[in-house]
Amino acid sequence: DIQMTQSPSMLSASVGDRVTITCRASQTISVWLAWFQQKPGKAPQLLIYKASILENGVPSRFSGSGSGTEFTLTIDSLQPDDFATYYCQQYHSNSRTFGQGTKVEIK
Amino acid sequence: EVQLVESGGGLTQPGGSLRLSCSASGFTFSTYSMNWVRQAPGKGLEWISYISPSGSSIYYADSVKGRFTILRDNAKNSLYLQMNSLRDDDTAVYYCARDQAFATLNHWGQGTLVTVSS
């Protein structure tokens, strides 16, 4: 199976900060990478798919980049609603795998 | 509006069985691939199974292969997960989620809790 490694596992940031989360795949996945946001007690929400395409309705302060094995999720000007846990997921292989998650906390 | 509603969760003993259901509405169910994803308490997300629109292609995570079976009934707009030989570490919230062209898991249900404990 393809292993997905996110970093950092947790970060503390302030409202207005620019935040970057990295996801690394154990083998190339082209651009078949998605990012999800999850808040406590809620189902995850798709933010970005195919590495850089913003899902409908997702604020433009979210952006994704990368291809191959290295990917990033960037949140420009962090808002109070953005404090949550973020997951990457590869869907290049038939056995899809998630990263372990990155919790974004209020500094 | 796309809606996915899971049901069938509950408490069962190790070695037992459960069948989860996911009722879909607001879209043409038979044209979308579907998935099950789970989340153990306090842990991350784990994709566990995929089924193609017709049901002809099915994939499982190694952790559930041979124990879980994904099925769909397009006439009933329903997705199922038959879970056998349940273990303590199968305890989790189970979500059904729909794919979209070139995307993955862009609509999720609210989840149903499965607890495996003696």
Side-chain angles (χ1 to χ4, degrees), chain A residues 36 38 43 46 89 91 94 96, chain B residues 39 47 59 99 102 104 109:
Chain A
F36 296 87
Q38 188 181 32
L46 177 66
Q89 187 219 24
Y91 55 113
N94 292 333
R96 307 179 189 189
Chain B
Q39 186 169 37
W47 170 88
Y59 308 112
D99 284 334
F102 302 110
T104 174

Side-chain angles (χ1 to χ4, degrees), chain B residues 5-56:
Chain B
V5 179
E6 301 94 337
S7 59
L11 174 64
T12 189
Q13 294 188 334
S17 297
L18 274 179
R19 183 175 170 108
L20 305 183
S21 300
C22 171
S23 177
S25 60
F27 65 101
T28 306
F29 180 72
S30 62
T31 64
Y32 288 87
S33 55
M34 299 293 297
N35 301 264
W36 287 99
V37 177
R38 69 182 181 183
Q39 186 169 37
K43 302 297 185 183
L45 300 169
E46 180 186 16
W47 170 88
I48 57 171
S49 190
Y50 161 96
I51 187 167
S52 62
S54 66
S56 60

Side-chain angles (χ1 to χ4, degrees), chain B residues 64-105:
Chain B
V64 305
K65 201 173 294 182
R67 301 187 299 123
F68 290 10
T69 302
I70 190 171
L71 312 99
R72 66 188 298 158
D73 185 336
N74 287 340
K76 294 184 177 179
N77 292 335
S78 293
L79 176 72
Y80 305 99
L81 186 68
Q82 178 66 43
M83 305 186 295
N84 298 330
S85 303
L86 283 162
R87 311 187 300 221
D88 290 351
D89 63 358
D90 293 318
T91 294
V93 174
Y94 285 73
Y95 296 99
C96 66
R98 193 197 83 173
D99 284 334
Q100 179 82 10
F102 302 110
T104 174
L105 310 177

Side-chain angles (χ1 to χ4, degrees), chain A residues 12-19 75-79 107:
Chain A
S12 296
S14 301
V15 172
D17 284 353
R18 179 177 174 141
V19 166
I75 311 172
D76 284 323
S77 188
L78 198 67
Q79 298 301 300
K107 183 185 282 185

Side-chain angles (χ1 to χ4, degrees), chain A residues 8-84:
Chain A
S9 297
M10 183 182 300
L11 69 88
S12 296
S14 301
V15 172
D17 284 353
R18 179 177 174 141
V19 166
T20 298
I21 299 169
T22 298
C23 182
R24 179 177 291 112
S26 61
Q27 63 190 75
T28 183
I29 58 171
S30 184
V31 292
W32 302 110
L33 189 283
W35 291 97
F36 296 87
Q37 178 193 68
Q38 188 181 32
K39 297 179 181 177
K42 300 292 187 181
Q45 176 190 356
L46 177 66
L47 298 175
I48 287 168
Y49 63 95
K50 214 174 173 188
S52 63
I53 301 174
L54 206 62
E55 172 70 344
N56 289 341
V58 174
S60 59
R61 63 180 178 273
F62 291 92
S63 64
S65 65
S67 66
T69 61
E70 296 276 339
F71 302 87
T72 58
L73 171 70
T74 300
I75 311 172
D76 284 323
S77 188
L78 198 67
Q79 298 301 300
D81 192 49
D82 301 336
F83 292 96

